C-alpha cells in the first residue's frame, strides 16, 4: 500500500547568510540662551544592511513571469503548491535607512512661576524594504516577505513604522509655586 505525502511548506535558510548589522551616527549642538533656557539641534541616523528577510520564490504565477512557463495560477515548483504553503527562503537582503533632526528647548525656570518646561520636535524619515521579517505587523495579511522574491528593492519605501513629525512636551511645577518660591535666585 502506498500513500502520497501531501504538499507542504519548505523552509530554507540561505547557506551564504551573513550577520545583519546597522551603523548608527549622530551629532548635536546645544546653546544656552539666557540664564534659564537651553536650545538644541540633534541629528540621528542609522543604516541597516544585510538585515534578515523572508522571501517566497514559489508564488503563484512566478513561473510564468520569470521562466515563461505555466500559467498565472501555477507555481514554479508544484510540489510546494498547496494553498497556504510557501517556499520560505530566509536570507539577509533587507535594508533600512533612518534620518531624524530634533529641535529642543528646555526652560529651567519660566519667569517666577516655578515651572520647568521641555519641548522636543522631531522631523524624520524611515525607509526600508521589509519592515518586519515575517510580515506580521497586521497591515500585511496578504503577502509573506517581499512582493517580488527576486527583486527585494522593489519594496523600498517608507517603513510601516515611519513617523514624520513628533512633538513631545513635558513640564514640572516646583511647589510651593509663586514668586521666589522655586529657590532660583537672580
Amino acid at each position: 500500500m502506498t500513500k502520497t505525502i501531501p504538499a507542504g511548506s519548505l523552509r530554507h535558510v540561505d547557506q551564504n547568510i551573513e550577520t545583519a548589522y546597522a551603523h548608527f551616527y549622530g551629532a548635536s549642538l546645544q546653546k544656552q540662551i539666557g540664564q534659564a533656557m537651553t536650545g538644541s539641534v540633534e541629528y540621528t541616523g542609522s543604516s541597516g544592511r544585510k538585515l534578515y528577510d523572508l522571501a517566497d520564490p514559489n508564488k503563484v504565477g512566478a513561473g510564468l513571469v520569470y521562466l515563461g512557463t505555466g500559467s498565472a495560477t501555477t507555481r514554479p515548483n508544484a510540489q510546494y503548491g498547496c494553498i497556504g504553503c510557501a517556499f520560505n527562503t530566509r536570507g539577509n537582503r533587507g535594508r533600512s535607512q533612518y534620518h531624524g533632526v530634533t529641535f529642543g528647548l528646555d526652560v529651567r525656570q519660566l519667569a517666577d512661576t516655578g515651572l520647568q518646561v521641555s519641548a522636543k520636535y522631531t522631523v524624520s524619515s524611515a525607509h526600508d524594504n521589509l519592515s518586519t521579517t515575517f510580515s506580521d505587523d497586521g497591515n500585511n495579511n496578504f503577502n509573506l516577505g517581499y512582493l517580488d522574491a527576486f527583486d527585494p528593492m522593489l519594496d523600498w519605501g517608507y517603513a510601516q513604522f515611519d513617523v514624520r513629525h513628533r512633538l513631545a512636551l513635558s513640564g514640572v511645577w516646583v511647589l510651593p509655586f509663586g514668586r521666589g518660591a522655586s529657590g532660583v535666585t537672580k
Side-chain angles (χ1 to χ4, degrees), residues 60-185:
V60 172
L64 182 61
V65 172
Y66 298 109
L67 303 173
T69 61
S71 69
T73 60
T74 61
R75 296 176 186 267
N77 188 336
Q79 181 180 0
Y80 302 98
C82 66
I83 296 174
C85 297
F87 191 116
N88 296 332
T89 299
R90 287 160 174 81
N92 61 328
R93 298 180 299 163
R95 292 179 61 110
S96 69
Q97 192 69 48
Y98 173 81
H99 299 287
V101 177
T102 301
F103 302 93
L105 188 63
D106 294 300
V107 180
R108 292 183 298 278
Q109 172 67 8
L110 189 63
D112 286 332
T113 63
L115 183 62
Q116 301 171 7
V117 178
S118 179
K120 305 282 186 195
Y121 171 72
T122 302
V123 58
S124 65
S125 177
H127 287 81
D128 64 19
N129 63 347
L130 192 61
S131 291
T132 67
T133 303
F134 295 101
S135 305
D136 56 358
D137 59 4
N139 294 324
N140 194 4
N141 296 326
F142 63 91
N143 189 55
L144 180 63
Y146 300 117
L147 292 174
D148 183 345
F150 301 100
D151 184 9
M153 291 308 285
L154 179 67
D155 287 282
W156 183 260
Y158 290 108
Q160 291 175 350
F161 51 84
D162 179 50
V163 177
R164 307 282 171 79
H165 304 279
R166 180 177 296 140
L167 178 64
L169 299 171
S170 66
V172 175
W173 204 321
V174 179
L175 296 176
F177 57 90
R179 179 170 291 281
S182 65
V184 176
T185 58

